[in-house]
Amino acid sequence: GIQVEQSPPDLILQEGANSTLRCNFSDSVNNLQWFHQNPWGQLINLFYIPSGTKQNGRLSATTVATERYSLLYISSSQTTDSGVYFCAVDDIKGAQKLVFGQGTRLTINP
Amino acid sequence: NAGVMQNPRHLVRRRGQEARLRCSPMKGHSHVYWYRQLPEEGLKFMVYLQKENIIDESGMPKERFSAEFPKEGPSILRIQQVVRGDSAAYFCASSPRQDYNEQFFGPGTRLTVL
């Protein structure tokens, strides 16, 4: 099945810093989503981005489908950005079951 | 527009009891997915259902686990005779139709088996 690798596994930053999280995947996808799992365990949908670039406030994401990677950018980090960020892709075209990466644990210190 | 709703949010069961987890998809969504997050294994797909049909249950454990999505009412994930290894967070997601790829996730149910 499709493989999803996220890097870095852990990231510790000071408030106000910028960060880039990466997601590599091993095959063509129909779906790529980024999630934030907050310290209370809730999964928050950030982006649906199988290709192209999207922005939402301080967050933006870019997926280069031909090169099989996606990047999540967080600018001017706040302590509330702390948590685990997951990338997830569909298994094969039309299968509609997401395969998750292992996540990047982001800690923003005040 | 209310999001995906799951209840209960926290569920405690003793070994051997049954656990029933409920998921109400977003309004207008007829496709439901269940995922499980075990402490050391990350998030894994369990089952994909449409109204009254199981489409893909390739991620479901072979025994004790079942899922349904009736014509009326929420989707139910049922775990019989729970064991400590079933302790995990169970997430439900929904989408409006088969050709709509984005999945919208609920807040999850945290199951603790004593």
Side-chain angles (χ1 to χ4, degrees):
Chain A
I2 195 167
Q3 304 296 315
V4 183
E5 292 186 5
Q6 291 187 242
S7 60
D10 293 279
L11 189 58
I12 302 174
L13 298 171
Q14 292 297 122
E15 203 167 18
N18 302 328
S19 57
T20 301
L21 283 60
R22 186 177 179 101
C23 171
N24 292 332
F25 44 96
S26 61
D27 204 345
S28 299
V29 298
N30 261 354
N31 181 0
L32 189 147
Q33 292 184 241
W34 281 98
F35 299 91
H36 174 211
Q37 188 165 38
N38 63 24
W40 296 271
Q42 292 180 315
L43 269 179
I44 311 298
N45 285 44
L46 295 178
F47 294 103
Y48 166 70
I49 187 166
S51 63
T53 297
K54 289 185 177 179
Q55 181 160 4
N56 184 4
R58 295 182 295 104
L59 274 61
S60 63
T62 295
T63 297
V64 183
T66 53
E67 297 187 22
R68 298 180 183 169
Y69 73 89
S70 183
L71 302 173
L72 177 69
Y73 305 96
I74 305 173
S75 65
S76 305
S77 299
Q78 301 175 0
T79 56
T80 51
D81 295 330
S82 295
V84 182
Y85 289 80
F86 289 102
C87 165
V89 303
D90 66 352
D91 189 29
I92 57 175
K93 289 188 185 296
Q96 295 186 300
K97 54 184 179 184
L98 291 176
V99 176
F100 283 77
Q102 290 303 303
T104 292
R105 182 174 297 278
L106 177 64
T107 302
I108 305 298
N109 291 321
Chain B
N1 190 11
V4 177
M5 302 183 69
Q6 292 187 246
N7 67 80
R9 296 291 308 281
H10 300 273
L11 182 61
V12 178
R13 285 288 179 265
R14 295 190 181 280
R15 281 178 295 171
Q17 292 184 320
E18 178 179 287
R20 282 183 173 237
L21 287 61
R22 293 173 180 77
C23 169
S24 296
M26 290 179 69
K27 186 177 181 180
H29 287 198
S30 59
H31 295 244
V32 165
Y33 314 80
W34 287 92
Y35 294 83
R36 179 168 66 172
Q37 187 174 28
L38 291 164
E40 302 299 326
E41 296 187 16
L43 279 144
K44 298 286 177 62
F45 167 82
M46 298 181 76
V47 63
Y48 165 30
L49 310 103
Q50 294 178 26
K51 287 281 189 181
E52 300 185 280
N53 286 306
I54 296 174
I55 306 302
D56 182 350
E57 56 182 346
S58 59
M60 287 278 271
K62 294 289 186 274
E63 297 177 350
R64 301 186 297 107
F65 285 71
S66 62
E68 63 177 5
F69 189 16
K71 186 176 180 181
E72 301 292 336
S75 176
I76 306 289
L77 180 67
R78 182 184 178 200
I79 311 172
Q80 295 179 292
Q81 299 176 327
V82 296
V83 301
R84 288 209 173 122
D86 297 332
S87 295
Y90 293 82
F91 290 93
C92 168
S94 73
S95 67
R97 59 186 184 271
Q98 188 169 3
D99 62 347
Y100 193 97
N101 295 315
E102 186 176 6
Q103 296 181 22
F104 298 85
F105 278 72
T109 293
R110 268 143 196 84
L111 173 65
T112 301
V113 179
L114 301 178

